[in-house]
Amino acid sequence: MDLEEFLEEWHNSSPTVLVHTSGSTGQPKPMWVEKERMKVSARITCDFLGLKPGDTALLCMSLDYIAGKMMVVRAQTCGLRLVAEKPTGCPSWNGKIDFAAMVPMQVYNLLKTEEGRKRLRSVRHLIIGGGAIDDALAQELKTFPHAVWSTYGMTETLSHIALRRLNGTEASEWYTPFDGVGIAQTDEGCLAIDAPAVHEGILVTNDIVELRGTQFRILGRKDNVVCSGGIKIQIEEVERLLRPHLGAAFVVTKRKDEKFGEALVLLTEDTQLDAQRSVCQQVLPKYWQPRYYQYVEQIPMTETGKPARKEAERLAALAKEI
């Protein structure tokens, strides 16, 4: 979908807009969402960030998903001047930008070059969502002169309902929900959200969290818990420990195992599997070490820059024990 098509849909007589989930844990699913709720979400974000009519907003994300659509809605609802660029892995734009939303991959690619870093540092309000921000990327952003935020949200909440600061004295690993958003924890440890302004009823997520008062910290997804030999292992925690030590792109996934029931698998773009195994043995606790390793030409990713977990599991069936 291009900008003209979405604007036509936004301004038609229908009270709803068609959106699709990101597809990180399976096939993208269609959803109809209310335009009035999208407007409320837009105002909440703009008010929180102090954005004013006439401020510039960069659209550099696909309009097939909620994140891109909400950038347009914020501009339409709050009087921002929209600067639309073709969605790419490394955005490029001219002129001053007051507000931009990107996925971690786009930020990572921009930081690779001096020009890209300069562009990124000039953005007055930068929000990053759609995937985990690893420690190395967070470290790169700590010295940015303007506010940088990690967002928490999903298609069902019409983009984010909580933010955490990545730089400055307010930097934290804890997300703070917007006013009017309530949070709780299910018996399984998953986050439950009460955000009546953007979603009807309680929304139970698959995200395993730790709560601290009105704030929360993400530990991983319930779908990504591997039960190996009776030990529960959170895939995201394994990836977090490995990330500073593995140079090539990788993803941790799982496969069925005759002995352990399930076993961890490391998919990597590095052909030196023995070297990868050696790093895992040095870095990870004994019971968190992958049992299988598999070289792939390219780690499967969704269009929004997240690991495509289901596709990774499919590839893991080919992995070898070494």
Side-chain angles (χ1 to χ4, degrees):
M1 171 177 281
D2 61 25
L3 181 57
E4 188 175 335
E5 285 178 294
F6 177 63
L7 285 173
E8 186 177 327
E9 183 180 14
W10 180 249
H11 291 295
N12 70 22
S13 59
S14 171
T16 58
V17 167
L18 179 64
V19 299
H20 291 82
T21 59
S22 66
S24 57
T25 58
Q27 289 297 316
K29 297 174 184 176
M31 283 178 54
W32 289 95
V33 298
E34 297 173 42
K35 291 177 181 176
E36 285 305 314
R37 289 187 185 273
M38 294 174 79
K39 291 177 183 178
V40 171
S41 174
R43 292 189 191 100
I44 290 171
T45 295
C46 290
D47 288 348
F48 181 87
L49 296 176
L51 295 169
K52 304 277 194 300
D55 283 347
T56 49
L58 176 67
L59 172 63
C60 60
M61 305 175 82
S62 172
L63 283 166
D64 291 332
Y65 299 99
I66 192 67
K69 284 180 167 64
M70 283 306 303
M71 285 301 291
V72 181
V73 175
R74 291 174 194 129
Q76 291 282 304
T77 305
C78 302
L80 309 180
R81 185 169 66 83
L82 194 66
V83 177
E85 299 289 334
K86 182 180 178 182
T88 68
C90 191
S92 178
W93 65 90
N94 294 313
K96 171 177 164 286
I97 295 296
D98 294 299
F99 175 45
M102 298 182 190
V103 296
M105 178 184 66
Q106 291 174 312
V107 176
Y108 175 81
N109 289 338
L110 282 165
L111 288 171
K112 281 183 178 178
T113 67
E114 187 176 339
E115 178 60 29
R117 179 183 292 269
K118 184 179 177 182
R119 286 177 186 272
L120 209 53
R121 287 176 66 91
S122 70
V123 176
R124 192 158 63 89
H125 296 283
L126 174 63
I127 61 174
I128 307 170
I133 297 171
D134 64 44
D135 294 340
L137 183 57
Q139 194 64 35
E140 289 256 26
L141 298 168
K142 271 191 173 179
T143 61
F144 270 43
H146 304 300
V148 184
W149 304 86
S150 171
T151 69
Y152 178 84
M154 59 208 70
T155 307
E156 292 84 349
T157 60
L158 309 181
S159 191
H160 48 267
I161 49 87
L163 296 174
R164 68 180 179 94
R165 187 72 178 262
L166 294 173
N167 66 332
T169 56
E170 301 169 40
S172 172
E173 60 180 359
W174 296 87
Y175 285 94
T176 301
F178 289 138
D179 290 344
V181 175
I183 58 169
Q185 197 173 27
T186 68
D187 292 341
E188 292 182 300
C190 292
L191 181 68
I193 302 168
D194 182 15
V198 295
H199 183 273
E200 187 174 347
I202 303 297
L203 177 63
V204 177
T205 75
N206 281 331
D207 291 313
I208 295 175
V209 296
E210 179 182 350
L211 300 187
R212 187 181 71 176
T214 59
Q215 297 179 307
F216 63 93
R217 184 169 73 96
I218 303 293
L219 302 180
R221 288 184 68 85
K222 183 175 71 172
D223 327 56
N224 298 334
V225 174
V226 180
C227 188
S228 184
I231 295 173
K232 290 186 177 179
I233 307 164
Q234 190 71 51
I235 280 177
E236 292 91 341
E237 285 295 291
V238 179
E239 291 175 337
R240 183 182 64 80
L241 290 175
L242 288 176
R243 208 164 276 122
H245 305 279
L246 296 180
F250 74 94
V251 68
V252 175
T253 183
K254 63 184 177 181
R255 61 170 287 177
K256 291 182 180 178
D257 183 83
E258 186 177 332
K259 180 177 180 181
F260 295 99
E262 291 182 323
L264 288 182
V265 180
L266 182 78
L267 298 183
T268 175
E269 293 181 10
D270 192 324
T271 57
Q272 304 300 312
L273 298 183
D274 284 331
Q276 301 289 290
R277 179 172 178 265
S278 178
V279 170
C280 290
Q281 288 176 331
Q282 293 172 37
V283 172
L284 298 173
K286 180 179 178 181
Y287 297 109
W288 286 22
Q289 293 171 18
R291 185 171 171 83
Y292 300 91
Y293 295 78
Q294 177 68 29
Y295 163 75
V296 291
E297 286 189 8
Q298 190 170 27
I299 297 298
M301 304 291 284
T302 69
E303 288 185 24
T304 54
K306 301 177 186 177
R309 297 288 183 185
K310 289 298 181 185
E311 176 61 13
E313 278 189 43
R314 189 188 70 78
L315 293 173
L318 309 171
K320 300 172 184 176
E321 183 178 357
I322 63 170

